[in-house]
Amino acid sequence: MGFYQEVKHQDLSDPDLVVKLESYLKDSKVLTPSSDEYGARIKRWSDSSEKRAGAIVLATTAADISATVLFAQAWSIDLVVCGGGHSSSGASSTSGGLVIDLCQMRAVSVDPVSKTIRAQGGCLWADVDVAAYEHGLATVGGTVNHTGIGGLTLGGGYGWLSGEYGLVIDNLLAVQMVLADGSIVTASESENSDLFWAVRGAGQSFGVAVEFTYCAHPQSSNVWAGQLVFLPNNLEALAAAANQLIASSQRNMGLILGFACPPPAFQPVPVAIVYFNGPASAAEEFFAPLLALNPIVNTTASMPYAQLNGILNAMAVHGGRKINKGSTFATPLRPEFFQSVFEDYARLLKQPHPVMAIILFEFLPTDKICAVPHAATAFANRGQYQNVLVSPKWTDPAFDEVSAAWAKEIALKFDAEMERGKREGDIKMEVEGVGQYGNYDGKVFIPPSLINIRLSDEHDLTDSCAHQIDMHQRERGRVIFGPNYDRVLKLKNTYDPNNVFNKGHVQAETAAAVK
């Protein structure tokens, strides 16, 4: 049974089938295309990921989620899960299928004695940040606080605190899951430990995460953070400053350097988002190499940690068609390469098609991340290198192909630079992972024409198209999980042999195909 088996699924156009679904549920509401709330609930962070579901279950309990999972299988209905709705791949949307929407499950409880946070699967990071901060605590979370905790956590999760405490999954103590057979289980180091291993990096492929338990850390003092905007004539000096900063022994810092078109001029300029977990005086001394380059905008200030994860929100607003393409780079970042990427970026914005974009180089200390062995979790991207995000934004579906092609071109440019550095000896790493962050679209490229056919309300996939996409998806899983792929696949075959949860990076195969 391949990844795109849903092409043969039934839809929910039969009203009697919706009535039957409602009879399965005790506490949760069902929305159909005629419901007043339907339009708002199929909205996604990226307009290109919005699809017209046959029905939406506004889940409120694990029991109702279990019932929904079993119903979808009984009636061969495509099933997806929506937390924050940020996936630009369309993984939280379905055409004619059934959405488990977790937006009603956003409760957070904090135990200041044990320093733990329990958060329901529909929470946004803002929910967690605010609740924890009320107790002088924090945990590693997303750098955009309207992102859902589920997708970020299950895919690994980088954040401003990663330099001090590692990835989000390194701070995950337990997760309650609804599995494909409808069972409701807890996975932790001491309970269902094989499942706990798998969900830390490949969790989207194993079930519905209804509650997370995180380790929290003391964070009563303010942090220093903000945005700096520079003129383009500072590019080489900016790269040199970033290299100097990330080479320091400081773990309580973070830097995102990149290119954007901020208002009011909307012209391409280099930008820096800076973070320091400490007093402003120490932060300004540490970031002196950047501050000395005379930013034309400087919003840095001391602020509560709960406010920190909102400073990037303006770059990641809802609406518009978007792609989040990922690659990696190693430090020291070559100033000439940084300059060439800016030139490519500026050329895009001069084209007649209405495509905007951001490119963000993420500089985070990697020691704590790399201290965890690759085999300790399914996540395989631990290495002495950094992530980069290439994210075009546009409005007209006619530009889907050109936008995707540009993002792919830039990502491949980063891949080529990494290979050049290794070949010529500029880049030397003691710890190297797969070089692909699973929460970004990566090296295995599924053409938008195939994705659009699959997700269209008007087309059925031919066997040939289904096979092409299936092969792309399986190759992507091998890339993302690298040396962990065989174990991830074996567990997928055990926990979800029929690919009920088929929007992740690993798909079940027959027992004979498993090594």
PDB file of all heavy atoms in Angstrom, residues 186-200:
ATOM      1  N   THR A 186       0.747   6.287  26.230  1.00  0.00           N
ATOM      2  CA  THR A 186       1.783   7.251  26.592  1.00  0.00           C
ATOM      3  C   THR A 186       3.126   6.679  26.187  1.00  0.00           C
ATOM      4  O   THR A 186       3.409   5.502  26.438  1.00  0.00           O
ATOM      5  CB  THR A 186       1.760   7.533  28.100  1.00  0.00           C
ATOM      6  OG1 THR A 186       0.516   8.142  28.447  1.00  0.00           O
ATOM      7  CG2 THR A 186       2.906   8.465  28.480  1.00  0.00           C
ATOM      8  N   ALA A 187       3.938   7.500  25.556  1.00  0.00           N
ATOM      9  CA  ALA A 187       5.283   7.094  25.158  1.00  0.00           C
ATOM     10  C   ALA A 187       6.296   7.939  25.910  1.00  0.00           C
ATOM     11  O   ALA A 187       6.193   9.169  25.954  1.00  0.00           O
ATOM     12  CB  ALA A 187       5.473   7.268  23.655  1.00  0.00           C
ATOM     13  N   SER A 188       7.256   7.276  26.522  1.00  0.00           N
ATOM     14  CA  SER A 188       8.323   7.951  27.264  1.00  0.00           C
ATOM     15  C   SER A 188       9.522   7.002  27.306  1.00  0.00           C
ATOM     16  O   SER A 188       9.485   5.908  26.736  1.00  0.00           O
ATOM     17  CB  SER A 188       7.867   8.298  28.680  1.00  0.00           C
ATOM     18  OG  SER A 188       7.669   7.112  29.444  1.00  0.00           O
ATOM     19  N   GLU A 189      10.568   7.409  27.990  1.00  0.00           N
ATOM     20  CA  GLU A 189      11.731   6.529  28.106  1.00  0.00           C
ATOM     21  C   GLU A 189      11.398   5.235  28.850  1.00  0.00           C
ATOM     22  O   GLU A 189      12.011   4.195  28.605  1.00  0.00           O
ATOM     23  CB  GLU A 189      12.874   7.253  28.832  1.00  0.00           C
ATOM     24  CG  GLU A 189      13.493   8.392  28.039  1.00  0.00           C
ATOM     25  CD  GLU A 189      14.391   7.907  26.912  1.00  0.00           C
ATOM     26  OE1 GLU A 189      14.418   6.690  26.642  1.00  0.00           O
ATOM     27  OE2 GLU A 189      15.062   8.756  26.290  1.00  0.00           O
ATOM     28  N   SER A 190      10.406   5.277  29.731  1.00  0.00           N
ATOM     29  CA  SER A 190      10.069   4.103  30.545  1.00  0.00           C
ATOM     30  C   SER A 190       8.811   3.381  30.086  1.00  0.00           C
ATOM     31  O   SER A 190       8.487   2.313  30.597  1.00  0.00           O
ATOM     32  CB  SER A 190       9.895   4.518  32.010  1.00  0.00           C
ATOM     33  OG  SER A 190       8.861   5.475  32.141  1.00  0.00           O
ATOM     34  N   GLU A 191       8.090   3.931  29.125  1.00  0.00           N
ATOM     35  CA  GLU A 191       6.821   3.359  28.684  1.00  0.00           C
ATOM     36  C   GLU A 191       6.723   3.479  27.170  1.00  0.00           C
ATOM     37  O   GLU A 191       6.820   4.580  26.622  1.00  0.00           O
ATOM     38  CB  GLU A 191       5.667   4.108  29.361  1.00  0.00           C
ATOM     39  CG  GLU A 191       4.310   3.478  29.175  1.00  0.00           C
ATOM     40  CD  GLU A 191       3.232   4.201  29.959  1.00  0.00           C
ATOM     41  OE1 GLU A 191       3.561   5.188  30.657  1.00  0.00           O
ATOM     42  OE2 GLU A 191       2.072   3.778  29.885  1.00  0.00           O
ATOM     43  N   ASN A 192       6.563   2.350  26.486  1.00  0.00           N
ATOM     44  CA  ASN A 192       6.552   2.347  25.019  1.00  0.00           C
ATOM     45  C   ASN A 192       7.773   3.086  24.465  1.00  0.00           C
ATOM     46  O   ASN A 192       7.670   3.978  23.628  1.00  0.00           O
ATOM     47  CB  ASN A 192       5.265   2.983  24.493  1.00  0.00           C
ATOM     48  CG  ASN A 192       4.021   2.206  24.885  1.00  0.00           C
ATOM     49  OD1 ASN A 192       3.910   1.009  24.589  1.00  0.00           O
ATOM     50  ND2 ASN A 192       3.105   2.857  25.576  1.00  0.00           N
ATOM     51  N   SER A 193       8.932   2.690  24.951  1.00  0.00           N
ATOM     52  CA  SER A 193      10.161   3.427  24.644  1.00  0.00           C
ATOM     53  C   SER A 193      10.516   3.384  23.166  1.00  0.00           C
ATOM     54  O   SER A 193      11.130   4.328  22.647  1.00  0.00           O
ATOM     55  CB  SER A 193      11.324   2.892  25.479  1.00  0.00           C
ATOM     56  OG  SER A 193      11.531   1.506  25.233  1.00  0.00           O
ATOM     57  N   ASP A 194      10.137   2.312  22.463  1.00  0.00           N
ATOM     58  CA  ASP A 194      10.424   2.274  21.027  1.00  0.00           C
ATOM     59  C   ASP A 194       9.594   3.309  20.278  1.00  0.00           C
ATOM     60  O   ASP A 194      10.096   3.989  19.367  1.00  0.00           O
ATOM     61  CB  ASP A 194      10.186   0.865  20.460  1.00  0.00           C
ATOM     62  CG  ASP A 194       8.762   0.364  20.667  1.00  0.00           C
ATOM     63  OD1 ASP A 194       8.038   0.937  21.506  1.00  0.00           O
ATOM     64  OD2 ASP A 194       8.379  -0.628  19.994  1.00  0.00           O
ATOM     65  N   LEU A 195       8.349   3.477  20.676  1.00  0.00           N
ATOM     66  CA  LEU A 195       7.509   4.517  20.078  1.00  0.00           C
ATOM     67  C   LEU A 195       8.045   5.899  20.430  1.00  0.00           C
ATOM     68  O   LEU A 195       8.068   6.799  19.575  1.00  0.00           O
ATOM     69  CB  LEU A 195       6.067   4.360  20.571  1.00  0.00           C
ATOM     70  CG  LEU A 195       5.059   5.398  20.057  1.00  0.00           C
ATOM     71  CD1 LEU A 195       4.928   5.336  18.537  1.00  0.00           C
ATOM     72  CD2 LEU A 195       3.694   5.178  20.720  1.00  0.00           C
ATOM     73  N   PHE A 196       8.501   6.071  21.658  1.00  0.00           N
ATOM     74  CA  PHE A 196       9.054   7.356  22.073  1.00  0.00           C
ATOM     75  C   PHE A 196      10.292   7.689  21.243  1.00  0.00           C
ATOM     76  O   PHE A 196      10.498   8.841  20.853  1.00  0.00           O
ATOM     77  CB  PHE A 196       9.406   7.320  23.560  1.00  0.00           C
ATOM     78  CG  PHE A 196       9.764   8.661  24.154  1.00  0.00           C
ATOM     79  CD1 PHE A 196       8.920   9.744  24.024  1.00  0.00           C
ATOM     80  CD2 PHE A 196      10.953   8.828  24.854  1.00  0.00           C
ATOM     81  CE1 PHE A 196       9.242  10.980  24.576  1.00  0.00           C
ATOM     82  CE2 PHE A 196      11.288  10.045  25.408  1.00  0.00           C
ATOM     83  CZ  PHE A 196      10.431  11.133  25.268  1.00  0.00           C
ATOM     84  N   TRP A 197      11.102   6.691  20.960  1.00  0.00           N
ATOM     85  CA  TRP A 197      12.257   6.898  20.079  1.00  0.00           C
ATOM     86  C   TRP A 197      11.798   7.407  18.716  1.00  0.00           C
ATOM     87  O   TRP A 197      12.352   8.363  18.171  1.00  0.00           O
ATOM     88  CB  TRP A 197      13.027   5.583  19.920  1.00  0.00           C
ATOM     89  CG  TRP A 197      14.235   5.691  19.037  1.00  0.00           C
ATOM     90  CD1 TRP A 197      15.501   6.000  19.410  1.00  0.00           C
ATOM     91  CD2 TRP A 197      14.271   5.486  17.620  1.00  0.00           C
ATOM     92  NE1 TRP A 197      16.330   6.015  18.313  1.00  0.00           N
ATOM     93  CE2 TRP A 197      15.605   5.696  17.198  1.00  0.00           C
ATOM     94  CE3 TRP A 197      13.315   5.151  16.654  1.00  0.00           C
ATOM     95  CZ2 TRP A 197      16.005   5.580  15.864  1.00  0.00           C
ATOM     96  CZ3 TRP A 197      13.701   5.037  15.323  1.00  0.00           C
ATOM     97  CH2 TRP A 197      15.029   5.251  14.936  1.00  0.00           C
ATOM     98  N   ALA A 198      10.766   6.794  18.164  1.00  0.00           N
ATOM     99  CA  ALA A 198      10.314   7.126  16.814  1.00  0.00           C
ATOM    100  C   ALA A 198       9.663   8.500  16.723  1.00  0.00           C
ATOM    101  O   ALA A 198       9.901   9.245  15.758  1.00  0.00           O
ATOM    102  CB  ALA A 198       9.334   6.060  16.330  1.00  0.00           C
ATOM    103  N   VAL A 199       8.844   8.854  17.721  1.00  0.00           N
ATOM    104  CA  VAL A 199       8.115  10.116  17.598  1.00  0.00           C
ATOM    105  C   VAL A 199       9.029  11.319  17.749  1.00  0.00           C
ATOM    106  O   VAL A 199       8.671  12.425  17.334  1.00  0.00           O
ATOM    107  CB  VAL A 199       6.948  10.216  18.611  1.00  0.00           C
ATOM    108  CG1 VAL A 199       5.947   9.097  18.388  1.00  0.00           C
ATOM    109  CG2 VAL A 199       7.441  10.239  20.045  1.00  0.00           C
ATOM    110  N   ARG A 200      10.218  11.124  18.286  1.00  0.00           N
ATOM    111  CA  ARG A 200      11.165  12.233  18.396  1.00  0.00           C
ATOM    112  C   ARG A 200      11.926  12.370  17.071  1.00  0.00           C
ATOM    113  O   ARG A 200      13.061  11.977  16.927  1.00  0.00           O
ATOM    114  CB  ARG A 200      12.112  12.020  19.572  1.00  0.00           C
ATOM    115  CG  ARG A 200      11.435  12.229  20.921  1.00  0.00           C
ATOM    116  CD  ARG A 200      12.356  11.903  22.075  1.00  0.00           C
ATOM    117  NE  ARG A 200      12.636  10.476  22.155  1.00  0.00           N
ATOM    118  CZ  ARG A 200      13.557   9.948  22.942  1.00  0.00           C
ATOM    119  NH1 ARG A 200      14.318  10.731  23.706  1.00  0.00           N
ATOM    120  NH2 ARG A 200      13.732   8.636  22.965  1.00  0.00           N
TER     121      ARG A 200
END
